[in-house]
Amino acid sequence: MLAPASPARFKANGRAFAHIAAFHPELTALRRDLHAHPELGFEEVYTSARVKEALRLCGVDEVHDGIGKTGVVAVIKGRSQSSGRMIGLRADMDALTMTEHNDFAWKSTKAGMMHGCGHDGHTTMLVGAARYLAETRHFDGTAVLIFQPGEEGFAGAKAMIEDGLFKRFPVQAVFGMHNWPAMRPGMVGVNPGPMMAAADRITIEVTGRGGHGAHAYLTVDPVVVTAHIITAVQSIVSRNVRPIDSAVISLCAMQAGDLGAMSVVPGKATLVGTVRTFNPDVQDLVERRLHELCSAVALGFGASATMKYERIYPATINSEREAAFAAEVAQSLVGEEHVVRDMEPSMGAEDFSFMLQVKPGAYLRIGQGGEGSCFLHNSRYDFNDEILPLGSALHAGLAEQFMPLEAASPAGVAR
């Protein structure tokens, strides 16, 4: 049994936080167990089993598994269902392919895998909310708790939707949250619009004519062509995208030739990179200009180039009304001075975007950082267990205020 958690360095209001704080040590134990046993997208067998076990112990009404391969959904009914309201609360479960360099007792037991993004904490916070909601049922409607696999590049949200998630559980709105090391504990951020960018993959293949490096005049060197493409691509954002819009083009990897063959000009070169945008029109513009520019630059050198553009994750865009509602819920929990209502969007990506394309909702950030904390996807990252009750209470507050027992409608959300 863990020792009682130390007092939080922040204050939170309401019965949900006080109730959940009583089982903070149990949440910490679960979170650390999940951290020690990371699993990649659609391989979350141990994680989903632990979640199902915890949900049954919590006393939820229904547990459904196998949705989107390894996804789990819990259903909790309020004291009344007369409102007909149904809310979705989502947490991601998967880990990353990276080696952990921490040395605490709960570090990863699997080589080359770690919870470097805090999904172990997200899962635990939603379990904590499940326990509170099942024990109190202080709401009028149905809470649907979504434990999603494969967020890290596997589009697990899309897989769950295609597997009938919202047909089986027709929620009126869906909410998710992510820890944010750049914000101190006790802070919550949201934006009534973009929260995360679209993430696209680009693959550029340049074909020239190989030959001997000593007789380069007989070749069409794809390395030279690729170098000019790299430079030319930098002009797209600066000269084609309006300054008031946002876009990032990063060419992150190049492969050409053989490092052991210093005098051989290769016949081909490949570039791989990513494009990040918020606006679909900007996304279309960048894709078109990449095709045009790569082809034209290569042609100028007597080579050819093809560009494959893959749209991986759409932009995560909050619904204005639901974002305002979530901010009100957060304010009731931590106070107005601790809620950022105009959170700066990140150029990172998130597959919760697929859910927001189908249902209105909002994606929030919950502070967990401070001096000396590691950012996400760092080999020394660890989730801050101090905020577990706060995250659970925020999930619970969204459910209770979206589906209040009182006759009045929740602020900012039409019935």
Side-chain angles (χ1 to χ4, degrees), residues 202-207 225-226 228-230 232-233 236 249 251 271 286-301 303-309:
I202 52 176
T203 304
I204 302 167
E205 293 188 352
V206 178
T207 302
V225 177
T226 300
H228 280 268
I229 288 175
I230 292 171
V233 162
I236 294 177
I249 305 174
L251 298 173
L271 285 167
V286 171
E287 180 178 1
R288 176 174 56 81
R289 289 297 294 133
L290 278 167
H291 277 291
E292 293 170 348
L293 188 148
C294 292
S295 177
V297 170
L299 183 62
F301 286 89
S304 64
T306 60
M307 201 274 294
K308 182 180 181 182
Y309 196 102

Side-chain angles (χ1 to χ4, degrees), residues 31-38 99-110 113-115 120 379-382:
R31 203 286 299 178
R32 294 180 179 181
D33 180 60
L34 295 178
H35 188 94
H37 300 89
T99 299
E100 183 163 6
H101 291 135
N102 290 311
D103 55 6
F104 41 63
W106 57 92
K107 69 179 181 181
S108 173
T109 59
K110 297 185 179 181
M113 296 185 202
M114 76 168 286
H115 272 292
D120 49 344
S379 65
R380 292 195 178 276
Y381 169 90
D382 189 32

Side-chain angles (χ1 to χ4, degrees), residues 14-88:
R15 63 177 178 272
F17 180 80
H19 186 112
I20 296 167
F23 51 84
H24 189 182
E26 296 167 63
L27 293 177
T28 301
L30 173 62
R31 203 286 299 178
R32 294 180 179 181
D33 180 60
L34 295 178
H35 188 94
H37 300 89
E39 295 172 304
L40 303 181
F42 301 130
E43 298 175 4
E44 303 95 338
V45 177
Y46 179 85
T47 304
S48 61
R50 291 286 281 119
V51 167
K52 287 184 287 185
E53 175 189 35
L55 291 171
R56 292 188 177 105
L57 290 173
C58 289
V60 305
D61 296 300
E62 302 170 20
V63 177
H64 304 264
D65 60 7
I67 303 174
K69 298 182 181 179
T70 47
V72 178
V73 173
V75 175
I76 306 171
K77 297 177 182 178
R79 294 183 196 175
S80 169
Q81 287 90 53
S82 62
S83 71
R85 300 287 284 170
M86 182 178 287
I87 188 174

Side-chain angles (χ1 to χ4, degrees), residues 119-156:
H119 297 187
D120 49 344
H122 302 165
T123 298
T124 302
M125 290 191 299
L126 194 53
V127 168
R131 177 170 171 177
Y132 167 80
L133 292 171
E135 289 177 352
T136 61
R137 300 182 186 267
H138 191 75
F139 57 95
D140 179 3
T142 304
V144 177
L145 280 57
I146 304 163
F147 296 86
Q148 181 212 301
E151 190 280 326
E152 296 287 357
F154 294 90

Side-chain angles (χ1 to χ4, degrees), residues 132-332:
Y132 167 80
L133 292 171
E135 289 177 352
T136 61
R137 300 182 186 267
H138 191 75
F139 57 95
D140 179 3
T142 304
V144 177
L145 280 57
I146 304 163
F147 296 86
Q148 181 212 301
E151 190 280 326
E152 296 287 357
F154 294 90
K158 184 178 181 182
M160 292 191 82
I161 293 168
E162 291 175 345
D163 214 5
L165 174 65
F166 292 132
K167 292 180 180 179
R168 296 172 63 179
F169 311 99
V171 301
Q172 279 86 40
V174 63
F175 297 86
M177 69 180 75
H178 202 294
N179 76 94
W180 201 238
M183 294 175 66
R184 67 180 185 273
M187 297 289 295
V188 177
V190 67
N191 188 53
M195 283 293 290
M196 305 284 279
D200 302 332
R201 175 189 174 95
I202 52 176
T203 304
I204 302 167
E205 293 188 352
V206 178
T207 302
R209 184 171 64 248
H212 199 299
H215 303 281
Y217 65 94
L218 297 175
T219 73
V220 177
D221 189 346
V223 176
V224 173
V225 177
T226 300
H228 280 268
I229 288 175
I230 292 171
T231 301
V233 162
Q234 309 311 309
S235 70
I236 294 177
V237 173
S238 66
R239 291 296 179 269
N240 297 122
V241 177
R242 298 189 310 165
I244 61 174
D245 291 324
S246 299
V248 172
I249 305 174
S250 292
L251 298 173
C252 301
M254 174 180 173
Q255 182 176 328
D258 187 331
L259 292 178
M262 70 172 191
S263 61
V264 178
V265 175
K268 290 186 178 182
T270 303
L271 285 167
V272 174
T274 186
V275 174
R276 305 298 171 105
T277 56
F278 293 112
N279 187 318
D281 291 337
V282 175
Q283 189 179 31
D284 292 341
L285 168 67
V286 171
E287 180 178 1
R288 176 174 56 81
R289 289 297 294 133
L290 278 167
H291 277 291
E292 293 170 348
L293 188 148
C294 292
S295 177
V297 170
L299 183 62
F301 286 89
S304 64
T306 60
M307 201 274 294
K308 182 180 181 182
Y309 196 102
E310 300 171 88
R311 302 193 179 200
I312 308 300
Y313 285 179
T316 303
I317 310 293
N318 285 343
S319 307
E320 185 173 350
R321 183 176 58 181
E322 282 68 28
F325 164 71
E328 291 297 318
V329 174
Q331 179 177 321
S332 70

